[in-house]
């Protein structure tokens, strides 16, 4: 009896098939079944959102380099969390720096702010990325955030950062590198004051812990805003020492709108009572 001929699927066919698997656990199970599926699954695996802690940075770095360059071609999303920034080994920092420098196709990046404050070389590596679209640094990393935003030339569309909590800053000039691309922003510890720079693509804005803005300023900076969430973070008490200041700001904002100025594009707004009262929305 003739032996059944061995069927070998084209590697590109295997890659395409595995790219349809959207659960990491399922993809890993398939990759463990044979050498062919392991090889075919490397790029689909890296294309899935990657979440790494400092406990696994060495093994992840070894995996990425072992299968380079195909891994870095598919390396587009990276979340790196640190359980304790002070416990990150000095030997791990060059590994993370190398991953960032070779991540030329990174589109989305989320990093623990603590490690950025401890190691400024990482900030420089991030600032050299050219295709980044989504940057998330949630936490207190004032100097690091400033360095990255000042140097980064990527076409950011989504940004989530905190500024200095001791002295609020105006985000309008700080984000100027992305004024033509930014579409969604979540920013904390800010005060709006500049009207010289506009963000015509910005349609979704979330602001935490801020000074209530003058509409004349905010509508000039983000003229096409559709969704707004704003919170003063409890810095102002509605019936406290800032009553006169808030009343005057509200009166100015009411007059501004009565003159026919407002967001014609705004369809959704929410916030704390202080911000909504002062903005007269």
């Amino acid at each position: 009896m003739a032996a059944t001929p061995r069927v070998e699927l084209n590697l590109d066919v295997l890659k395409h098939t595995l790219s349809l698997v959207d659960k990491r656990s399922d993809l890993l199970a398939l990759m463990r079944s044979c050498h062919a599926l392991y090889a075919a699954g490397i790029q689909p695996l890296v294309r899935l959102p990657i979440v790494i802690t400092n406990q696994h940075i060495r093994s992840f770095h070894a995996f990425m380099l072992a299968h380079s360059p195909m891994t870095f071609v598919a390396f587009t999303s990276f979340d790196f969390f640190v359980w304790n920034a002070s416990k990150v080994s000095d030997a791990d920092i060059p590994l993370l720096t190398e991953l960032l420098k070779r991540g030329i196709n990174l589109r989305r990046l989320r990093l623990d702010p603590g490690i950025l404050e401890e190691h400024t070389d990482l900030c420089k590596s991030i600032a050299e990325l050219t295709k980044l679209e989504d940057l998330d640094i949630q936490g207190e990393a004032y100097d690091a955030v400033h360095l990255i935003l000042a140097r980064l030339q990527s076409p950011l569309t989504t940004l989530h950062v905190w500024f200095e909590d001791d002295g609020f800053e105006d985000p309008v000039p700080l984000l100027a590198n992305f004024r033509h691309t930014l579409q969604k922003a979540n920013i904390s510890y800010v005060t709006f004051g500049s009207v010289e720079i506009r963000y015509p693509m910005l349609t979704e804005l979330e602001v935490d812990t801020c000074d209530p803005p003058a509409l004349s300023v905010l509508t000039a900076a983000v003229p096409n805003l559709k969704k707004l969430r704003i919170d003063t973070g409890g810095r102002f008490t509605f019936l406290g020492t800032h009553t006169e200041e808030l009343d005057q700001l509200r009166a100015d904002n009411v007059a501004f709108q009565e003159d026919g100025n407002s967001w014609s594009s705004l369809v959704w707004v929410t916030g704390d009572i202080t911000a909504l009262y002062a903005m007269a929305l």
Side-chain angles (χ1 to χ4, degrees), residues 24 27 31 41-50 60 63-64 67 70-78 106:
R24 183 177 300 275
L27 183 55
M31 291 176 65
I42 291 173
Q43 280 194 319
L45 180 66
V46 176
R47 284 197 181 99
L48 292 175
I50 297 172
F60 178 66
F63 169 80
M64 292 293 287
H67 302 289
M70 73 171 71
T71 44
F72 288 101
V73 171
F75 188 36
T76 60
S77 178
F78 187 35
L106 273 173

XYZ file of all heavy atoms in Angstrom, residues 24 27 31 41-50 60 63-64 67 70-78 106:
225
model
N -4.088 35.292 22.836
C -2.693 34.895 22.999
C -2.571 33.441 23.446
O -1.710 32.696 22.957
C -2.015 35.815 24.018
C -0.534 35.541 24.215
C 0.069 36.546 25.182
N -0.093 37.892 24.661
C 0.741 38.451 23.795
N 1.774 37.774 23.348
N 0.540 39.680 23.381
N -3.084 31.100 20.515
C -1.959 31.168 19.577
C -0.747 30.422 20.136
O -0.075 29.674 19.411
C -1.611 32.626 19.298
C -0.490 32.877 18.277
C -0.791 32.188 16.956
C -0.298 34.374 18.072
N 1.310 27.229 18.587
C 2.747 27.318 18.331
C 3.516 26.195 19.007
O 4.573 25.780 18.523
C 3.273 28.676 18.803
C 2.795 29.855 17.972
S 3.344 31.455 18.632
C 5.127 31.322 18.416
N 4.007 31.370 13.824
C 3.275 32.133 14.829
C 4.051 33.271 15.465
O 3.473 34.064 16.221
N 5.346 33.386 15.159
C 6.169 34.401 15.816
C 5.656 35.812 15.540
O 5.412 36.597 16.464
C 7.643 34.262 15.381
C 8.228 32.965 15.957
C 8.455 35.462 15.860
C 9.625 32.655 15.455
N 5.489 36.162 14.273
C 5.021 37.514 13.957
C 3.590 37.778 14.435
O 3.332 38.838 15.019
C 5.151 37.775 12.458
C 6.576 38.131 12.048
C 6.653 38.711 10.657
O 5.985 38.242 9.739
N 7.463 39.734 10.473
N 2.631 36.848 14.221
C 1.287 37.085 14.775
C 1.294 37.262 16.288
O 0.522 38.052 16.830
C 0.518 35.826 14.365
C 1.190 35.373 13.109
C 2.644 35.659 13.333
N 2.186 36.540 16.980
C 2.271 36.669 18.433
C 2.747 38.056 18.833
O 2.179 38.689 19.731
C 3.225 35.609 18.991
C 3.420 35.618 20.514
C 2.123 35.250 21.221
C 4.533 34.652 20.910
N 3.756 38.567 18.149
C 4.305 39.884 18.481
C 3.324 40.991 18.104
O 3.295 42.049 18.734
C 5.668 40.092 17.782
C 6.205 41.486 18.044
C 6.676 39.050 18.269
N 2.497 40.758 17.104
C 1.528 41.776 16.689
C 0.422 41.979 17.712
O -0.200 43.034 17.748
C 0.916 41.398 15.336
C 1.829 41.645 14.154
C 1.080 41.650 12.842
N 1.991 41.874 11.731
C 2.476 40.907 10.974
N 2.129 39.646 11.206
N 3.298 41.188 9.983
N 0.168 40.963 18.535
C -0.822 41.115 19.583
C -0.290 42.109 20.626
O 0.925 42.233 20.799
C -1.123 39.771 20.246
C -1.846 38.728 19.384
C -1.955 37.410 20.137
C -3.224 39.216 18.980
N -1.167 42.837 21.321
C -0.693 43.764 22.360
C 0.200 43.060 23.371
O -0.158 42.007 23.911
C -1.999 44.250 23.003
C -3.017 44.122 21.915
C -2.634 42.884 21.148
N 1.363 43.630 23.615
C 2.357 43.013 24.492
C 2.388 43.746 25.828
O 2.601 44.961 25.875
C 3.749 43.048 23.841
C 3.742 42.215 22.548
C 4.816 42.538 24.798
C 5.015 42.340 21.745
N 11.801 38.288 27.455
C 11.183 38.930 26.291
C 12.254 39.481 25.362
O 12.163 39.337 24.131
C 10.255 40.053 26.751
C 9.616 40.809 25.624
C 8.705 40.190 24.786
C 9.930 42.143 25.397
C 8.130 40.879 23.728
C 9.351 42.841 24.357
C 8.441 42.205 23.521
N 13.818 36.616 23.458
C 12.909 36.125 22.414
C 12.919 37.057 21.210
O 13.001 36.610 20.059
C 11.492 36.017 22.977
C 10.432 35.779 21.937
C 10.227 34.505 21.421
C 9.646 36.823 21.464
C 9.258 34.280 20.447
C 8.682 36.614 20.504
C 8.486 35.338 19.993
N 12.842 38.354 21.434
C 12.797 39.312 20.339
C 14.072 39.266 19.502
O 14.021 39.300 18.265
C 12.582 40.723 20.882
C 11.221 40.959 21.503
S 9.868 40.907 20.313
C 10.133 42.465 19.445
N 14.678 36.020 17.212
C 13.906 35.901 15.975
C 13.915 37.204 15.169
O 13.063 37.405 14.309
C 12.473 35.487 16.297
C 12.371 34.198 17.044
N 12.644 32.971 16.464
C 12.060 33.935 18.343
C 12.480 32.013 17.356
N 12.129 32.575 18.506
N 12.302 39.658 12.097
C 10.856 39.524 11.903
C 10.062 39.991 13.122
O 8.954 40.510 12.987
C 10.485 38.075 11.559
C 10.569 37.094 12.711
S 9.886 35.480 12.291
C 11.119 34.873 11.159
N 10.622 39.825 14.318
C 9.903 40.236 15.520
C 9.748 41.753 15.581
O 8.681 42.270 15.934
C 10.636 39.755 16.774
O 12.040 39.999 16.629
C 10.408 38.275 17.005
N 10.789 42.482 15.222
C 10.720 43.944 15.320
C 9.885 44.554 14.192
O 9.358 45.650 14.343
C 12.127 44.539 15.340
C 12.839 44.287 16.646
C 13.784 43.284 16.753
C 12.540 45.038 17.776
C 14.427 43.038 17.956
C 13.176 44.803 18.981
C 14.120 43.796 19.071
N 9.753 43.837 13.093
C 8.856 44.293 12.032
C 7.411 44.292 12.542
O 6.620 45.185 12.234
C 8.980 43.388 10.792
C 7.888 43.718 9.781
C 10.353 43.539 10.160
N 7.077 43.280 13.355
C 5.710 43.131 13.865
C 5.499 43.802 15.218
O 4.377 43.823 15.733
C 5.373 41.646 13.987
N 6.527 44.360 15.792
C 6.484 44.959 17.137
C 5.850 46.341 17.053
O 6.518 47.343 16.809
C 7.918 45.041 17.664
C 8.046 45.453 19.108
C 7.128 45.050 20.072
C 9.112 46.240 19.514
C 7.266 45.422 21.402
C 9.278 46.614 20.834
C 8.342 46.206 21.773
N 4.529 46.421 17.273
C 3.812 47.682 17.109
C 3.157 48.195 18.382
O 2.768 49.368 18.439
C 2.724 47.540 16.029
O 1.805 46.517 16.421
C 3.340 47.185 14.675
N 2.994 47.342 19.399
C 2.321 47.757 20.636
C 3.072 47.193 21.834
O 3.389 46.005 21.867
C 0.872 47.255 20.640
O 0.220 47.606 21.843
N 3.349 48.058 22.826
C 4.170 47.635 23.960
C 3.706 48.317 25.243
O 3.677 49.542 25.332
C 5.633 47.978 23.677
C 6.612 47.439 24.696
C 6.407 46.218 25.307
C 7.748 48.153 25.015
C 7.320 45.713 26.234
C 8.670 47.670 25.930
C 8.445 46.447 26.543
N 6.874 50.777 16.279
C 5.980 50.939 17.419
C 4.947 52.028 17.139
O 5.285 53.158 16.789
C 6.772 51.295 18.678
C 7.316 50.125 19.488
C 8.216 50.620 20.605
C 6.185 49.279 20.062
